Amino acid sequence: MDHKTQSLSSLIGSRICHDLISPIGAIVNGLELLEMAGQAPGPELALIGDSAENAGARIRFFRIAFGVAGEEIMPEREILKILGDLQKGGRVRIDWEVSGDVARTEVRMAFLALQCLETALAYGGHITVVRAGAGWELRGCAERLQLDGELWSDLTRDMRRARITPALVQFALLPDIVREGGTCLQVETTETSVAIRF
């Protein structure tokens, strides 16, 4: 993917996320108003509320991962809020062990790497995110991993071999974004863990 195409796809991602976040927020606010007006909370409203909150969390996550990064700094509390909301009811636990505010470009790389790791932890597991100096390491651990060897090898290869589907687009984007940032990716796998470093 050339730089122009990548920039255009990021703008499209930002636009879609921007346009969806408001109506999803309105659904959550509407449910809160119903509750304040004395509407008895039932399983139907709870399901709508949980679904809207999950959709909102995913949209905020996608906005960072697939949108335009810019030069801004993301506050630590915002990163933790996005990841905390994203994990509710999920099978993967994420420990963000990076202190302080972070450049949005770095958060974007970390979020794309998180998505890659989530594919390996299809049955659940634990992801730890750490930063040592200028480098990052994201490590996913589980008793049972689901790894596509070609897909994971493509992260560190110049030529892509694995077929990329919409669900796997993060594997195509991450190497380009990391390379654009002036660094390189490293991948390490064992029977129970997979790590991405950049």
Side-chain angles (χ1 to χ4, degrees), residues 3 5 8 18 37 39-40 57 82 94 99 104 136 146 155 170 188:
H3 184 70
T5 305
L8 184 58
H18 178 272
Q39 174 74 38
I82 291 171
I94 302 168
S99 298
R104 186 167 171 149
W136 289 73
Q146 182 174 300
L155 288 176
Q170 61 272 17
E188 174 190 291

Side-chain angles (χ1 to χ4, degrees), residues 1-9:
M1 184 185 300
D2 63 35
H3 184 70
K4 184 177 179 182
T5 305
Q6 183 179 299
S7 298
L8 184 58
S9 66

Side-chain angles (χ1 to χ4, degrees), residues 109-130:
M109 289 186 274
F111 278 16
L112 287 168
L114 279 172
Q115 283 198 299
C116 292
L117 290 172
E118 284 179 340
T119 66
L121 305 179
Y123 309 106
H126 173 231
I127 298 173
T128 305
V129 184
V130 297

Side-chain angles (χ1 to χ4, degrees), residues 3-197:
H3 184 70
K4 184 177 179 182
T5 305
Q6 183 179 299
S7 298
L8 184 58
S9 66
S10 296
L11 288 168
I12 293 168
S14 289
R15 173 61 192 263
I16 291 170
C17 292
H18 178 272
D19 287 358
L20 288 177
I21 199 71
S22 292
I24 290 170
I27 293 169
V28 173
N29 291 339
L31 291 170
E32 289 174 358
L33 289 172
L34 283 173
E35 194 174 319
M36 287 169 43
Q39 174 74 38
E44 300 87 357
L45 288 180
L47 178 62
I48 294 169
D50 289 346
S51 298
E53 284 182 9
N54 183 268
R58 289 194 171 279
I59 290 292
R60 292 195 318 275
F61 182 92
F62 292 158
R63 192 176 191 180
I64 304 300
F66 300 113
V68 177
E71 298 299 320
E72 65 200 65
I73 300 295
M74 283 192 68
E76 180 181 6
R77 68 181 180 281
E78 183 181 347
I79 298 167
L80 293 175
K81 171 73 173 149
I82 291 171
L83 294 178
D85 290 347
L86 194 67
Q87 294 176 77
K88 288 179 183 173
R91 292 179 289 189
V92 176
R93 192 175 90 241
I94 302 168
D95 286 335
W96 182 270
E97 298 181 0
V98 178
S99 298
D101 302 341
V102 181
R104 186 167 171 149
T105 52
E106 292 184 81
V107 178
R108 183 184 191 196
M109 289 186 274
F111 278 16
L112 287 168
L114 279 172
Q115 283 198 299
C116 292
L117 290 172
E118 284 179 340
T119 66
L121 305 179
Y123 309 106
H126 173 231
I127 298 173
T128 305
V129 184
V130 297
R131 182 171 60 176
W136 289 73
E137 179 181 284
L138 295 91
R139 182 176 295 272
C141 298
E143 290 182 11
R144 185 176 169 200
L145 295 176
Q146 182 174 300
L147 292 173
D148 178 325
E150 285 291 322
L151 199 60
W152 283 89
S153 294
D154 277 356
L155 288 176
T156 56
R157 278 197 287 240
D158 290 333
M159 293 296 293
R160 195 172 293 126
R161 297 181 191 174
R163 181 174 171 269
I164 297 295
T165 64
L168 302 173
V169 70
Q170 61 272 17
F171 284 91
L173 282 173
L174 181 59
D176 291 345
I177 300 295
V178 169
R179 199 176 302 116
E180 189 179 282
T183 187
C184 61
L185 278 171
Q186 295 177 333
V187 174
E188 174 190 291
T189 61
T190 69
E191 287 186 6
T192 58
S193 72
V194 55
I196 298 175
R197 300 185 188 94

